């Protein structure tokens, strides 16, 4: 499975979230969903060597959106989970199981939308690391064209 192989921590948190949903503890499930969303944000920023450790989640999401590292749709999904988590942590959460299920569905949607792109980028990076000197020079030469500003 994708998460088990590449993101064991997220997989473990997903299992905890699911366990809380099954046991009827929507508040804890929403809090776990928030932790998962924060891990996703961490992985996205780390993947592009962007150090956001000193920022709160809402600022991290805005930076990722402004840097065009996530789409507006993914931003909205992650921010909704963040808001639900804050409510669950600091206030009474209405319809807690429904909110937990919505958070779970948002995470599934985000994962499906980003999984293939992330793995493709990872594979491309690994492929470049394994290039011969000639292949690497050819790859670098593509950035020297007259259309470099079109990138």
């Amino acid at each position: 499975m994708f998460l088990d192989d590449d993101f064991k921590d997220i997989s473990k948190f997903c299992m905890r979230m699911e366990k809380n949903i099954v046991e009827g503890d929507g508040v804890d499930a929403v809090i776990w969903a928030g932790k998962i969303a924060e891990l996703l944000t961490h992985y996205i920023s780390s993947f592009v060597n962007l150090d956001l450790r000193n920022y709160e989640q809402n600022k991290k999401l805005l930076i990722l959106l402004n840097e065009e590292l996530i789409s507006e749709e993914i931003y909205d999904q992650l921010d909704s989970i963040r808001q639900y988590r804050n409510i669950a942590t600091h206030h009474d959460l209405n319809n807690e199981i429904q909110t937990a299920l919505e958070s779970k569905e948002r995470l599934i949607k985000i994962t499906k939308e980003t999984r293939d792109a992330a793995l493709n980028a990872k594979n491309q990076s690994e492929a470049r690391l394994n290039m011969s000197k000639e292949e690497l020079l050819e790859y670098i030469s593509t950035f020297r064209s007259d259309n470099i500003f079109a990138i």
Side-chain angles (χ1 to χ4, degrees):
M1 176 182 208
F2 166 71
L3 287 176
D4 289 337
D5 293 339
D6 295 317
F7 302 98
K8 291 182 190 325
D9 49 357
I10 292 176
S11 179
K12 185 174 158 183
F13 285 10
C14 286
M15 287 186 276
R16 289 180 179 177
M17 178 185 64
E18 189 68 33
K19 179 179 183 279
N20 286 123
I21 290 171
V22 169
E23 292 175 350
D25 188 352
V27 171
D28 278 351
V30 169
I31 291 170
W32 281 111
K35 290 179 181 187
I36 295 164
E38 287 182 353
L39 274 175
L40 290 170
T41 303
H42 167 74
Y43 280 120
I44 292 167
S45 60
S46 295
F47 191 72
V48 295
N49 295 318
L50 187 61
D51 185 4
L52 300 178
R53 288 177 289 177
N54 295 325
Y55 295 94
E56 294 180 7
Q57 180 70 354
N58 62 332
K59 299 284 191 237
K60 291 177 185 180
L61 293 175
L62 285 171
I63 291 168
L64 293 176
L65 178 65
N66 289 335
E67 294 292 323
E68 298 181 356
L69 297 170
I70 58 172
S71 68
E72 199 166 318
E73 184 176 354
I74 290 175
Y75 168 84
D76 290 340
Q77 300 291 334
L78 289 169
D79 193 53
S80 292
I81 293 168
R82 178 192 67 79
Q83 290 176 35
Y84 288 151
R85 185 216 45 226
N86 286 348
I87 293 168
T89 302
H90 302 293
H91 306 286
D92 289 333
L93 183 65
N94 297 327
N95 304 316
E96 62 183 67
I97 292 297
Q98 183 59 39
T99 303
L101 291 170
E102 286 175 20
S103 295
K104 176 185 168 184
E105 289 304 314
R106 289 175 192 277
L107 289 168
I108 290 169
K109 185 174 184 174
I110 292 165
T111 302
K112 285 180 180 178
E113 291 176 4
T114 58
R115 176 187 59 212
D116 292 337
L119 288 176
N120 186 41
K122 178 181 174 186
N123 290 337
Q124 287 178 2
S125 293
E126 289 173 356
R128 283 195 291 275
L129 289 174
N130 294 321
M131 286 180 176
S132 67
K133 180 179 176 181
E134 293 77 22
E135 291 170 323
L136 188 56
L137 289 172
E138 176 65 29
Y139 174 74
I140 292 169
S141 72
T142 64
F143 295 108
R144 295 186 187 155
S145 70
D146 293 335
N147 294 327
I148 195 157
F149 295 106
I151 295 175

